[in-house]
Amino acid sequence: MLIRSGLRGLLSSAVAAGLLFLPASGLAAIEAGYKVPPAPIAQIIEAQPTPAVLLAGDGRTLAILNREGLPSIAAVSEPILRLGGYRINPRTNGPVEARTTWITGLAFKDIVSGKTTRVALPAKARFIGPQWSPDGKTLAIAMEAPTGLELWVVDVAAGTARKLTGPVLNAAFGAPYAWLSDSRTLIARTVPAGRGPAPVESTTPDGPTIQESIGRTAPSRTYQDLLSSPRDEVLFDHYFTSQIAKVDADSGAVTPIAAPAVWSSVSASPDGRFLLTAKLKRPFSYVVPARAFPTEIAVLDMTGKVVKAIVDRPLADDVPPPFDAVVKGPREVEWRADAPATLLWAEALDGGDPRNKVANHDRLLLLDAPFTAQPRTLVDLKERYDEIAWGRADTAIVTTRWWLDRHETRIAVNPSSPGPGRVLISRSSQDRYGDPGRPMTTDNAAGEPVMQFTADGKAVLMTGPGATAKGEYPFVSRLELADGKTKELWRSEPGVYELPLAFTDKAATKLVTRREGQATVPNYYLRTLGAKTPKALTAFADPAPQFAGVTKRLITYKRADGLPLSGTLYLPAGYDQKRDGPLPLLMWAYPAEFTDAAMAGQVVDGAANRFSRPGGISHLLLVTQGYAVLDNPAFPIVGASGKANDTYVEQLTADAQAAVDAVVNLGVASRDRIAVGGHSYGAFMTANLLAHTDLFRTGIARSGAYNRTLTPFGFQAEERTYWEATDIYTKMSPFTYATQIKEPILLMHGGADDNSGTFPVQTERFYAALKGAGATVRYVVLPNEAHGYRARESSLHTLWEMTIWLDTYLKAKPAPADK
């Protein structure tokens, strides 16, 4: 534990000297309402976002999507419903503004010719959910209407958009449509005909709300937005019930399939003959989200007839707390991408509890149409099934993971001749230097993604981030299917971050990439492997030239125990260390748990070849106000077998001490003018550092959780329950040590936080504790904001709060302490 006196004495002296420029009654005396931060922060936040792009599966066309800027607080404050872990806008039966980036403009770029075709859209049009047809000739979109979402299609060749349906799409569960392999038909989930208005809420309750559990072990982690009353159940049924339908992309004809139900997912077989469906049913639950409700998974034909029932799963509220725990019975059911109509699913061999000692924990099974035979085992797995990459009749690659030790295995399997498989890769999932990447994919004739093989068929093309001590340099390599060895075929050049997206040809010679550098705006290119200069496909401008003069560089240092650490140091434009001396510095961090010190100590230079332009509520914008920022300094918490948190406070303190020593030794900061801040788990870190160290003059904690007894069945990377690790939960909770926090702290929280574990009451009660203990604390609630703040007014106000707070409690040099 560090000596806790120096900075507090300096702070007291600064207050006595009148160097903290607060009104007598504090910041609260400033006129209420949303505030605007000083220039150029507001100009950067309000700048037009850089367009997004979406490459067609055939690699011939790039859709360029103009994104809307930040929504207004009025838009974010539209009525929303919070039901079963979901949030929906009842007006559109779709996503809420706080979770949606609307698209307002569209153009197509021909990859070969370079021709750009701009699409004429209705005035003030906004859409979401662009999806390419398998043949790459049409783009489907969900267009906003006053009373819902309409299905539209856009013709690439003509550059025209037309409406297929009225405002009938039901996007409560997410994307409400998908193309069939014929590129002429879509499967959609729609609002049932004649649904009528939502049930009117009675002001008189029908009776008490009752939950009961009689001797049944059913631990549940902390979730947001759950059902909480019989009325919620009625509303859930009303808004989440949908009608499956076929929509003809030429005529717009809509053909219903099966009866309306709470269809949580619908996917067509690659040959377009069957639908894999998941249907939720009662009894609903008030303690787990909808994904754990009783579920029937079944295959339907295109008339809606059930041809195969896969599982009728009861309420899954009894899944054990460990992160590797899963439901019993079939799960993660999907279509095999490289076959006409074959199902794959996983089943736990350990009863869903990873603590059970068994030779294999999971089994993968296959079942071909017409689904009348017994399913056959594809492979038994020693770890938990994670995902599968389909390739061809004799090749697929299965990825398994084990959370407790962060181990990952890649296994080559032969779907035509099931067996034990062949291990290609066995590694720590936290090993950034050794990351082999992921298989590159190409869309087959059915529009399904399958692995791209080398010309000789003996290897799979891979791409990965290419982390090194000198930065990330993405690569393309070949993974030999015989022995798992890799050979690099291409890597981003020094000083450039060039991310491979997809090959546009079967020979794998032409590659679409996203290319940037420290001073080079990210844009998209067509690269021919072996050629030096790629062909530009886009010419996006710098969205925030006001940030161009800011400098950044990686700094490296070591923890007291020798563990290598690093962070990215941002300095204001025009800063000269010899002339200007130490700056007030904000350290913004987020702790991460590791099982292996060697993985925790991997240093990757994120400054050398990356373009940085902050937006939204980014702390980096404070650099424009004369602050130095140490961004993402490493705060590893290391420990094996799920016990890293046993020394959480000690390791957090050591991480912070090393970072403070590093910036002071560089001469860019002084020990008496360093602040710490973070969002979510970073806010939790901030409060702990103020409680247990005297390293920082002030802190900013946004949307955090401070009392771990309110998340008793695990949090972050902690698998143990409160009753299994009571002392750990207590010691990690800064709420326990509220009386030890003497430095000023700014607390902020979204009033409608949707993140598991960070309920607004966490900050509310922490503020009450600090206030009761006599701390200097400001508590700001942003109305209607979720875990990440989205509204324009909220974003501007957040940066105003952070700026004025640091100007008040950090920027001024403290007077010398009395001797």
Side-chain angles (χ1 to χ4, degrees):
M1 190 67 65
L2 297 178
I3 297 174
R4 308 175 47 80
S5 58
L7 279 183
R8 289 173 186 171
L10 290 173
L11 184 60
S12 299
S13 299
V15 173
L19 295 175
L20 302 182
F21 308 109
L22 270 178
S25 55
L27 287 171
I30 298 174
E31 184 181 352
Y34 288 105
K35 304 298 181 185
V36 177
I41 294 177
Q43 291 76 11
I44 293 175
I45 289 177
E46 295 177 324
Q48 181 65 34
T50 299
V53 304
L54 185 64
L55 182 65
D58 63 2
R60 297 197 303 258
T61 311
L62 200 66
I64 301 175
L65 311 165
N66 293 332
R67 299 180 294 157
E68 189 176 59
L70 294 176
S72 68
I73 188 62
V76 168
S77 300
E78 270 200 280
I80 66 172
L81 294 174
R82 307 173 190 179
L83 301 168
Y86 291 87
R87 291 187 177 185
I88 66 166
N89 183 336
R91 176 178 65 84
T92 63
N93 220 121
V96 298
E97 286 284 341
R99 294 179 174 179
T100 307
T101 298
W102 290 94
I103 301 165
T104 57
L106 174 63
F108 296 119
K109 181 90 169 188
D110 186 275
I111 297 292
V112 177
S113 70
K115 177 185 176 182
T116 299
T117 302
R118 303 196 179 279
V119 179
L121 297 172
K124 298 183 179 180
R126 301 197 309 171
F127 67 89
I128 53 175
Q131 288 190 26
W132 281 107
S133 61
D135 63 9
K137 296 179 180 179
T138 312
L139 192 72
I141 59 176
M143 185 74 74
E144 183 189 36
T147 59
L149 296 172
E150 302 169 340
L151 180 58
W152 287 52
V153 289
V154 187
D155 184 276
V156 173
T160 56
R162 59 187 173 86
K163 182 170 67 173
L164 290 182
T165 73
V168 298
L169 292 177
N170 188 330
F173 281 114
Y177 51 82
W179 288 96
L180 292 186
S181 55
D182 63 5
S183 294
R184 300 270 56 85
T185 311
L186 296 107
I187 295 295
R189 281 176 288 178
T190 66
V191 172
R195 181 179 71 174
V200 177
E201 182 176 12
S202 171
T203 58
T204 303
D206 295 328
T209 299
I210 298 172
Q211 301 181 59
E212 186 175 33
S213 182
I214 303 176
R216 177 173 170 266
T217 302
S220 295
R221 287 178 68 101
T222 307
Y223 299 106
Q224 298 272 29
D225 302 334
L226 301 177
L227 301 183
S228 61
S229 68
R231 171 168 169 76
D232 280 354
E233 296 186 55
V234 172
L235 289 174
F236 184 80
D237 264 332
H238 179 83
Y239 284 102
F240 286 77
T241 295
S242 63
Q243 172 68 63
I244 303 174
K246 283 196 301 184
V247 182
D248 188 289
D250 295 321
S251 67
V254 178
T255 305
I257 299 174
V262 184
W263 302 108
S264 61
S265 68
V266 180
S267 64
S269 58
D271 64 4
R273 294 191 298 140
F274 302 100
L275 297 175
L276 174 61
T277 63
K279 180 172 67 175
L280 307 187
K281 59 182 186 178
R282 292 175 181 265
F284 298 150
S285 171
Y286 296 179
V287 296
V288 291
R291 64 176 181 269
F293 289 178
T295 305
E296 291 182 8
I297 300 176
V299 177
L300 313 183
D301 65 18
M302 284 299 173
T303 71
K305 177 184 176 182
V306 175
V307 296
K308 178 63 179 180
I310 307 300
V311 65
D312 187 354
R313 187 168 61 216
L315 179 67
D317 65 345
D318 58 349
V319 175
F323 294 171
D324 283 314
V326 294
V327 296
K328 298 175 183 178
R331 71 177 199 279
E332 299 183 63
V333 189
E334 66 174 72
W335 293 110
R336 179 177 165 183
D338 61 340
T342 297
L343 293 170
L344 172 112
W345 67 82
E347 289 191 27
L349 299 177
D350 55 11
D353 191 337
R355 295 169 296 191
N356 291 331
K357 304 301 181 183
V358 293
N360 295 295
H361 285 275
D362 265 357
R363 172 173 291 165
L364 295 185
L365 298 109
L366 293 169
L367 183 61
D368 303 319
F371 317 111
T372 54
Q374 288 297 311
R376 64 187 188 277
T377 298
L378 173 62
V379 65
D380 285 342
L381 305 171
K382 297 182 183 300
E383 298 170 325
R384 196 64 82 200
Y385 169 65
D386 183 58
E387 64 180 358
I388 187 167
W390 298 104
R392 60 194 183 201
D394 66 348
T395 305
I397 295 179
V398 173
T399 299
T400 67
R401 294 178 186 269
W402 202 247
W403 170 264
L404 190 62
D405 61 6
R406 308 303 197 278
H407 189 265
E408 173 190 288
T409 308
R410 313 274 186 94
I411 305 167
V413 296
N414 183 345
S416 299
S417 180
R422 182 171 60 260
V423 173
L424 299 176
I425 297 167
S426 177
R427 61 183 295 270
S428 167
S429 60
Q430 296 185 319
D431 180 8
R432 297 179 67 187
Y433 290 173
D435 186 353
R438 299 171 58 87
M440 300 190 74
T441 62
T442 183
D443 285 0
N444 60 19
E448 301 289 341
V450 293
M451 292 187 294
Q452 191 152 10
F453 294 88
T454 55
D456 60 12
K458 296 180 179 180
V460 170
L461 293 171
M462 305 281 286
T463 184
T468 71
K470 296 181 179 180
E472 286 191 332
Y473 290 90
F475 62 85
V476 174
S477 67
R478 57 180 286 155
L479 173 69
E480 300 294 337
L481 293 170
D483 55 16
K485 293 182 179 179
T486 60
K487 179 182 179 181
E488 192 171 290
L489 303 177
W490 173 86
R491 180 178 285 266
S492 185
E493 64 197 79
V496 174
Y497 181 88
E498 190 167 359
L499 181 68
L501 300 179
F503 283 102
T504 64
D505 60 335
K506 292 183 178 179
T509 61
K510 297 185 181 299
L511 183 65
V512 175
T513 67
R514 182 178 182 271
R515 179 183 172 94
E516 64 183 89
Q518 192 176 87
T520 304
V521 178
N523 270 289
Y524 294 85
Y525 291 81
L526 180 63
R527 169 175 290 282
T528 300
L529 294 189
K532 290 186 177 181
T533 305
K535 171 187 173 183
L537 298 175
T538 62
F540 301 142
D542 186 343
Q546 304 94 328
F547 206 75
V550 169
T551 61
K552 63 175 180 176
R553 62 186 172 106
L554 182 79
I555 65 169
T556 58
Y557 48 97
K558 289 186 178 181
R559 205 163 74 173
D561 60 3
L563 185 67
L565 303 175
S566 66
T568 302
L569 179 65
Y570 287 78
L571 298 170
Y575 170 73
D576 183 289
Q577 185 174 334
K578 291 183 179 179
R579 180 191 67 206
D580 302 325
L583 294 172
L585 181 142
L586 172 64
M587 188 181 300
W588 196 269
Y590 192 97
E593 297 82 357
F594 291 86
T595 60
D596 186 334
M599 304 299 105
Q602 290 183 345
V603 173
V604 179
D605 188 348
N609 59 347
R610 301 305 300 271
F611 188 78
S612 297
R613 291 297 182 267
I617 58 172
S618 174
H619 53 281
L620 293 179
L621 291 166
L622 293 166
V623 179
T624 67
Q625 304 305 303
Y627 293 95
V629 174
L630 183 61
D631 184 41
N632 197 29
F635 271 74
I637 309 297
V638 185
S641 302
K643 295 184 178 180
N645 285 334
D646 288 5
T647 53
Y648 174 83
V649 171
E650 293 83 356
Q651 292 195 62
L652 199 71
T653 299
D655 294 332
Q657 181 71 67
V660 167
D661 290 346
V663 293
V664 170
N665 291 339
L666 286 172
V668 297
S670 56
R671 294 187 188 277
D672 55 1
R673 285 202 299 166
I674 300 176
V676 64
H679 191 96
S680 193
Y681 206 53
F684 175 71
M685 170 207 73
T686 296
N688 266 306
L689 286 172
L690 294 185
H692 296 289
T693 79
D694 194 24
L695 293 170
F696 302 101
R697 191 165 164 191
T698 186
I700 299 174
R702 297 189 325 210
S703 296
Y706 309 101
N707 183 350
R708 284 303 165 194
T709 68
L710 299 179
T711 55
F713 288 102
F715 59 90
Q716 203 68 10
E718 180 57 64
E719 292 188 298
R720 294 169 293 184
T721 70
Y722 170 76
W723 299 275
E724 293 171 325
T726 304
D727 189 52
I728 301 302
Y729 274 64
T730 302
K731 288 182 177 179
M732 287 183 69
S733 296
F735 184 87
T736 306
Y737 304 96
T739 57
Q740 295 181 192
I741 297 179
K742 305 302 182 183
E743 294 83 8
I745 182 170
L746 171 63
L747 302 175
M748 303 189 72
H749 216 116
D753 196 320
D754 55 352
N755 183 56
S756 176
T758 53
F759 286 81
V761 71
Q762 287 271 5
T763 299
E764 177 188 332
R765 302 318 302 158
F766 191 44
Y767 169 74
L770 291 169
K771 180 174 178 291
T776 298
V777 57
R778 180 173 170 86
Y779 171 36
V780 180
V781 178
L782 297 166
N784 302 320
E785 289 291 352
H787 192 58
Y789 321 144
R790 278 274 293 156
R792 171 187 172 274
E793 293 87 344
S794 301
S795 299
L796 292 170
H797 188 86
T798 296
L799 268 300
W800 179 86
E801 290 281 356
M802 294 171 66
T803 301
I804 199 72
W805 186 263
L806 294 183
D807 285 353
T808 301
Y809 290 109
L810 182 68
K811 182 170 281 188
K813 294 182 179 180
D818 295 333
K819 294 184 178 179

